Amino acid sequence: MIDHPVAKPVQTDPPVWADMVSLSKPRITLLNMITAAGGMVLAPGTPSLAAMVAMLCGTGLMVGAANALNMYLERDIDRRMARTKKRPLPTGRLSPRAALLVGVGQAVIATPLLSFALNPLTGVIGVLALVAYVMVYTPLKQRTSHATFIGAFPGAAPALIGWTAQTGSIGIGGLVVFAVIVIWQMPHFHAIALFRKKDYVRAGLKVLPDRVGDAATRRVIVCYLGGQLLLSVALYPLGVAGMWYLVTAALLGVAYFGYGLRGLSAAAGPRWARRLFLGSLVYLPVLFAVLVADGLL
């Protein structure tokens, strides 16, 4: 009996439109839109449907612009990293010019949408976040591990955009919501750096574990998780969120912090860091979904 070799399936490239969409990192953009919606619902007053739609569209476009321009600037770095080398630019499926046009085009649409359909302050925050992310955070990643903290500020801007879209001003409640997102990003990104340290170092990016070591990075993560728990529950006494949110924030925060404490063990390694990272991806959407629901009830 003669065995015939089984033909391997031919791998085909994604369609051009899918690659164009991927430049904006849809999942990251969606997460930012959720936090923006949370900021708007939590702000005093009841947002109109038109304002909510304008805010979500403007935020999505501005975040998409930042992501596309980041891919444009880091295309050579992406070629050296295992998790990014198959993106459209490193593989040559799209030209750098295409990414630049997608990024600039989204920013050109988002800026007047946030500024005039909502208010000038919201537009200013959106533009400042875009500039800080693309022109400050992105190049600093190759120079200092402190870039992670600097990048957390534009990364948290959507929550503040949602707040100012509703109020036209920055209040203490908006700042606390903003701070929750800033702090959330620190253990999130430091955890990635722990289990992908070799990949980052090979690409020439500066990360905390390479500078201070894994054990010290895990201690830093635990400190941020404690601060995150305190900030998240602070929204209740400030009158920004209600009891359902308080219970959810406390339970989520204690569970997340509790798992983080395992990182203080000498036995904690890449597996712990990966699980903590995955936990962060559950923590924030759930927290803000409950925030939005609590604000609408």
Side-chain angles (χ1 to χ4, degrees):
M1 183 176 179
I2 299 175
D3 291 329
H4 296 282
V6 178
K8 294 182 179 180
V10 178
Q11 293 184 344
T12 58
D13 291 335
V16 174
W17 66 265
D19 277 338
M20 297 288 279
V21 170
S22 72
L23 291 173
S24 300
K25 301 180 183 177
R27 285 181 293 182
I28 294 176
T29 297
L30 178 60
L31 181 59
N32 278 274
M33 291 170 69
I34 291 173
T35 61
M40 193 171 194
V41 170
L42 290 172
T46 303
S48 67
L49 178 60
M52 177 65 80
V53 170
M55 188 277 298
L56 289 175
C57 289
T59 300
L61 288 168
M62 196 65 86
V63 173
N67 289 330
L69 293 173
N70 174 264
M71 284 199 187
Y72 169 77
L73 293 172
E74 293 193 334
R75 58 192 184 277
D76 292 330
I77 293 173
D78 285 348
R79 289 190 183 97
R80 302 195 294 267
M81 297 184 68
R83 73 182 185 92
T84 57
K85 65 182 181 181
K86 293 184 179 181
R87 286 176 174 175
L89 297 188
T91 58
R93 298 197 305 270
L94 290 179
S95 68
R97 178 182 173 84
L100 183 60
L101 290 174
V102 168
V104 172
Q106 289 185 95
V108 167
I109 298 171
T111 300
L113 186 58
L114 293 174
S115 302
F116 302 119
L118 297 167
N119 56 69
L121 177 60
T122 301
V124 168
I125 292 173
V127 171
L128 288 177
L130 174 66
V131 171
Y133 187 85
V134 175
M135 300 184 70
V136 181
Y137 166 66
T138 296
L140 277 180
K141 288 163 66 177
Q142 300 176 63
R143 294 172 173 82
T144 174
S145 62
H146 296 301
T148 303
F149 184 70
I150 294 169
F153 287 84
L160 200 56
I161 286 174
W163 184 279
T164 60
Q166 173 64 18
T167 64
S169 62
I170 301 174
I172 184 64
L175 288 175
V176 174
V177 174
F178 174 75
V180 168
I181 308 299
V182 169
I183 297 300
W184 171 83
Q185 291 175 83
M186 302 309 294
H188 172 82
F189 285 115
H190 287 327
I192 300 176
L194 279 170
F195 69 83
R196 293 192 180 275
K197 181 170 67 175
K198 292 181 180 179
D199 212 17
Y200 280 108
V201 172
R202 183 169 57 249
L205 299 177
K206 307 298 183 182
V207 291
L208 190 64
D210 187 51
R211 182 169 68 87
V212 303
D214 290 7
T217 300
R218 293 196 298 268
R219 290 193 294 271
V220 169
I221 286 175
V222 171
C223 290
Y224 276 119
L225 289 176
Q228 182 174 292
L229 172 58
L230 295 176
L231 275 173
S232 64
V233 298
L235 290 173
Y236 176 75
L238 287 172
V240 176
M243 180 58 69
W244 283 110
Y245 166 79
L246 176 64
V247 172
T248 303
L251 292 176
L252 278 175
V254 168
Y256 194 22
F257 179 69
Y259 184 75
L261 288 174
R262 296 187 181 184
L264 298 179
S265 167
R271 186 177 182 182
W272 169 85
R274 185 183 294 273
R275 287 183 173 179
L276 188 83
F277 163 72
L278 293 174
S280 73
L281 296 178
V282 174
Y283 173 87
L284 192 67
V286 172
L287 186 75
F288 268 77
V290 174
L291 262 177
V292 172
D294 190 64
L296 293 174
L297 293 176

